[in-house]
Amino acid sequence: MKASKPRALDRIDLKILACLQDNARISYVDLANQVGLSTTPCLERVKRLERNGVIKGYKALLNPKYLRANLLVFVEISLETQSSAVFDEFRRAVSKQPQIQECHLVSGQFDYILKCRIPEMSAYRQLLEDVVLTLPGVKESKSYVVMEEVKEDASIYVPELNEFDEHQLT
Amino acid sequence: MKASKPRALDRIDLKILACLQDNARISYVDLANQVGLSTTPCLERVKRLERNGVIKGYKALLNPKYLRANLLVFVEISLETQSSAVFDEFRRAVSKQPQIQECHLVSGQFDYILKCRIPEMSAYRQLLEDVVLTLPGVKESKSYVVMEEVKEDASIYVPELNEFDEHQLT
DNA sequence: CGACTTTCAGAAAGATTTGCTGTCACTGAG
DNA sequence: CTCAGTGACAGCAAATCTTTCTGAAAGTCG
């Protein structure tokens, strides 16, 4: 037997993804109607998208205002050495901190960009002390405190099929 | 009659939020079991959390790899003038671009931080031209191309009740 | 104390999920 | 060309879930 060949996403798959990204708690009946299928093949497609890793999960979007996460700060960090031991330790420290939502290794002047949600300024100082400054290799760090969130949209743009022709699952 | 007074979140609310953030497609039956209620009050609490804006929505998490959004770039932008007309125009341009996932007004050296997901480098150049460089007020921009996403977690940390005592809905 | 409010559980009706079956269209081998 | 074999689909039905209704228990305020 051959492994299930990962097929390219078709028009209906893209519609399903857009719908579920818009409202993850939609029922399969409604979803099927919106994409023009009956429930059975619609369910099968969703399960397949989950199996293939196209859909990574479903999340409720919470309002930071009510959860002591009012303050959003971006931090740029560069490390002294670029040894993998230091990098690993840095990653481990970052992973443990739930207040650090994102951490990306970037090219450019700095090594890492962090996105942190915290209750208030004092917690930010604490976080910097805990994570950033106690780590051995931190050379420099710069903080940007967010004054206003103009746009925050976790959604990924789901293209139309015609923009998407030659694109394949890999 | 008085408007429904927004009560503080209690232990069960926090559990519900954590569960729904972890898996937005959980059934009310399972959710009720996990938080130690029967389905009826559990459903009521969820609806109330939605009404009060604590839950802003439910989203499927899609894998950028399969949606032509492989490349993640952060852009820092500062504007020449800080007139509100320029700011407004900038915001409008940003809002229209689905590839710009986030845009934040920050304090510090730059005015805005953008987070963009795009198919590849050529699209990035295009985006810069479309949004950033055609706008009148852009003084300076700096790009950080993400080489590795160490951590990306849209979740907001849901505190335990004991860490949460004196916090109120406002 | 007594009325009122809030929160809860249980039951029941309605809706959804999910597995089963059969049909249709397409494909490749003979 | 013909005929399995395959994949995707719709319809149906049983199990499960959602959601409304009802009433009980606990707390609040006069």
Side-chain angles (χ1 to χ4, degrees):
Chain A
M1 84 168 268
K2 62 185 166 211
S4 63
K5 63 166 179 280
R7 297 183 357 275
L9 304 176
D10 65 10
R11 184 189 322 274
I12 297 180
D13 288 323
L14 295 177
K15 270 197 202 172
I16 288 174
L17 294 176
C19 282
L20 283 175
Q21 192 172 228
D22 182 57
N23 173 19
R25 280 187 77 79
I26 192 176
S27 75
Y28 286 114
V29 175
D30 290 347
L31 179 61
N33 283 336
Q34 291 209 19
V35 305
L37 281 180
S38 70
T39 59
T40 307
C42 182
L43 173 78
E44 281 166 2
R45 278 166 180 269
V46 172
K47 294 300 180 208
R48 187 176 61 209
L49 291 167
E50 291 172 356
R51 264 200 318 276
N52 292 348
V54 181
I55 297 174
K56 293 194 288 184
Y58 304 94
K59 290 195 107 45
L61 241 66
L62 306 185
N63 194 330
K65 183 170 135 191
Y66 301 126
L67 288 166
R68 290 186 147 190
N70 259 323
L71 186 59
L72 180 60
V73 183
F74 285 87
V75 188
E76 296 171 344
I77 289 176
S78 50
L79 302 185
E80 285 283 358
T81 68
Q82 263 134 358
S83 76
S84 63
V86 171
F87 273 36
D88 284 350
E89 191 174 356
F90 182 74
R91 275 157 213 237
R92 212 169 311 118
V94 161
S95 298
K96 277 196 305 202
Q97 285 289 338
Q99 296 153 325
I100 302 179
Q101 283 194 314
E102 302 185 22
C103 172
H104 305 283
L105 175 65
V106 298
S107 75
Q109 186 182 347
F110 287 90
D111 292 318
Y112 288 101
I113 289 184
L114 269 58
K115 180 184 176 190
C116 310
R117 283 200 180 273
I118 45 195
E120 65 225 308
M121 265 302 165
S122 62
Y124 176 59
R125 256 177 54 85
Q126 185 65 40
L127 182 71
L128 265 189
E129 278 176 27
D130 285 357
V131 177
V132 176
L133 303 179
T134 58
L135 281 175
V138 173
K139 183 169 68 184
E140 189 185 354
S141 82
K142 191 156 64 171
S143 301
Y144 292 99
V145 176
V146 171
M147 326 227 33
E148 188 191 342
E149 303 187 27
V150 177
K151 180 177 188 178
E152 175 158 44
D153 187 357
S155 298
I156 289 172
Y157 173 57
V158 177
E160 299 297 322
L161 187 61
N162 48 354
E163 313 173 39
F164 201 76
D165 284 335
E166 73 287 2
H167 188 56
Q168 296 290 327
L169 287 178
T170 46
Chain B
M1 78 168 272
K2 62 184 166 213
S4 64
K5 64 165 178 280
R7 299 183 355 275
L9 303 176
D10 65 11
R11 184 190 322 273
I12 296 179
D13 289 323
L14 295 177
K15 271 196 201 173
I16 288 174
L17 294 176
C19 282
L20 284 175
Q21 194 173 226
D22 182 56
N23 173 20
R25 279 188 77 79
I26 191 176
S27 74
Y28 287 115
V29 174
D30 290 346
L31 181 61
N33 282 335
Q34 290 208 21
V35 305
L37 282 179
S38 70
T39 59
T40 307
C42 183
L43 173 79
E44 280 166 3
R45 278 166 181 267
V46 172
K47 296 295 181 212
R48 187 176 62 209
L49 290 168
E50 291 171 358
R51 264 199 319 276
N52 291 348
V54 180
I55 296 174
K56 292 193 290 184
Y58 304 94
K59 289 195 108 47
L61 240 66
L62 306 185
N63 194 332
K65 182 169 136 191
Y66 301 125
L67 289 166
R68 289 185 147 191
N70 260 322
L71 187 59
L72 180 60
V73 182
F74 285 87
V75 187
E76 296 172 345
I77 289 176
S78 51
L79 301 184
E80 285 284 358
T81 68
Q82 262 134 359
S83 78
S84 64
V86 171
F87 272 35
D88 283 351
E89 191 174 354
F90 181 74
R91 274 154 213 239
R92 214 169 308 117
V94 161
S95 298
K96 276 196 305 201
Q97 285 288 340
Q99 296 153 324
I100 301 179
Q101 283 194 314
E102 303 185 21
C103 172
H104 305 282
L105 176 65
V106 298
S107 74
Q109 185 183 347
F110 286 90
D111 292 320
Y112 288 101
I113 290 184
L114 269 57
K115 180 184 176 188
C116 310
R117 281 199 181 273
I118 45 197
E120 64 225 309
M121 264 303 165
S122 62
Y124 176 58
R125 256 177 55 86
Q126 185 65 41
L127 182 70
L128 264 189
E129 276 175 29
D130 286 357
V131 177
V132 177
L133 303 179
T134 59
L135 282 175
V138 172
K139 183 170 66 183
E140 189 186 354
S141 82
K142 191 156 64 171
S143 302
Y144 293 99
V145 175
V146 171
M147 326 226 33
E148 188 192 341
E149 303 187 28
V150 177
K151 181 178 188 178
E152 174 155 45
D153 188 358
S155 299
I156 289 172
Y157 173 56
V158 177
E160 300 295 322
L161 188 60
N162 48 356
E163 316 171 38
F164 202 76
D165 282 336
E166 73 284 4
H167 187 56
Q168 296 289 325
L169 288 176
T170 45

